[in-house]
Amino acid sequence: GQSLEQPSEVTAVEGAIVQINCTYQTSGFYGLSWYQQHDGGAPTFLSYNALDGLEETGRFSSFLSRSDSYGYLLLQELQMKDSASYFCALSNFNKFYFGSGTKLNVKP
Amino acid sequence: DAGVTQSPTHLIKTRGQQVTLRCSPISGHKSVSWYQQVLGQGPQFIFQYYEKEERGRGNFPDRFSARQFPNYSSELNVNALLLGDSALYLCASSPGTGVTYEQYFGPGTRLTVT
């Protein structure tokens, strides 16, 4: 089976940098994705790692290490609007598995 | 262009009843997936359909079924509703054949079973 673990909650200050970790167990997967979900909203795609290493998309970066079964999402220059839940997700050809999510609280 | 649309927005049903939820994907997207999201948890994969065929199924009982139509819209059907079926049901579309890493989610249908 598949399992993904994330911290349940993280708090950071506006303008700071925060890292949200994701550890996983899987028998095989194509890559690790990250999604953002505001309260009452739908998940929206942020980033994807098919290969080990760092992917950068604006203020967001994501990292994957297959040998360590570990990934993280890095958010820089935090803004109040970044307060949301963040999910890592594994994808194989015809299934998608989400972690339980990390609630990020950004304080002024 | 319109995003993924779902109907209805909210629904209240009684235990034992049946419910049908509807989803229209982004124009040009041929793959539709369904997820169940219980409050405070991540979305749980239920089904993936592509070209009217079921391509993936999560760990849900046979009470859950779905289908995809020639216009790529989809319906999720749940029979013999249980209290535990109360959740947000999300539909996502993607252009590819499999469940690609980038999916576009609809706003969801909030189902309450009493």
Side-chain angles (χ1 to χ4, degrees), chain A residues 13-99:
Chain A
V13 177
E14 196 175 13
I17 299 172
V18 71
Q19 179 173 310
I20 298 174
N21 298 321
C22 173
T23 56
Y24 59 85
Q25 290 185 327
T26 180
S27 55
F29 71 110
Y30 289 156
L32 188 71
S33 304
W34 289 91
Y35 283 77
Q36 177 193 62
Q37 186 178 31
H38 287 98
D39 285 347
T44 56
F45 172 78
L46 292 176
S47 188
Y48 175 70
N49 294 78
L51 304 174
D52 284 6
L54 193 68
E55 291 287 338
E56 297 180 81
T57 309
R59 293 189 298 115
F60 298 156
S61 302
S62 58
F63 173 83
L64 175 64
S65 170
R66 287 176 181 263
S67 59
D68 295 322
S69 297
Y70 164 74
Y72 66 73
L73 179 71
L74 192 73
L75 295 85
Q76 302 182 72
E77 301 172 12
L78 280 174
Q79 303 175 10
M80 297 300 292
K81 67 178 182 179
D82 297 329
S83 291
S85 292
Y86 293 83
F87 298 92
C88 57
L90 293 177
S91 57
N92 60 29
F93 181 70
N94 57 6
K95 293 185 180 180
F96 214 68
Y97 301 92
F98 281 84

Side-chain angles (χ1 to χ4, degrees), chain B residues 62-80:
Chain B
D62 292 343
R63 299 185 296 109
F64 289 77
S65 63
R67 56 179 177 168
Q68 187 177 34
F69 299 98
N71 66 353
Y72 304 112
S73 67
S74 177
E75 288 182 351
L76 175 70
N77 193 72
V78 187
N79 292 323

Side-chain angles (χ1 to χ4, degrees), chain B residues 24-104:
Chain B
S24 292
I26 291 172
S27 177
H29 284 193
K30 300 182 178 180
S31 175
V32 169
S33 298
W34 286 95
Y35 295 84
Q36 180 195 67
Q37 186 175 27
V38 174
L39 195 63
Q41 296 183 20
Q44 297 296 307
F45 175 78
I46 309 176
F47 287 112
Q48 190 247 342
Y49 273 77
Y50 176 77
E51 290 285 11
K52 297 174 289 181
E53 290 188 5
E54 180 185 304
R55 295 297 183 95
R57 172 186 281 258
N59 294 326
F60 280 81
D62 292 343
R63 299 185 296 109
F64 289 77
S65 63
R67 56 179 177 168
Q68 187 177 34
F69 299 98
N71 66 353
Y72 304 112
S73 67
S74 177
E75 288 182 351
L76 175 70
N77 193 72
V78 187
N79 292 323
L81 284 167
L82 304 174
L83 294 179
D85 295 331
S86 294
L88 180 68
Y89 288 84
L90 294 162
C91 172
S93 75
S94 55
T97 56
V99 180
T100 61
Y101 61 87
E102 185 172 359
Q103 297 184 71
Y104 298 81

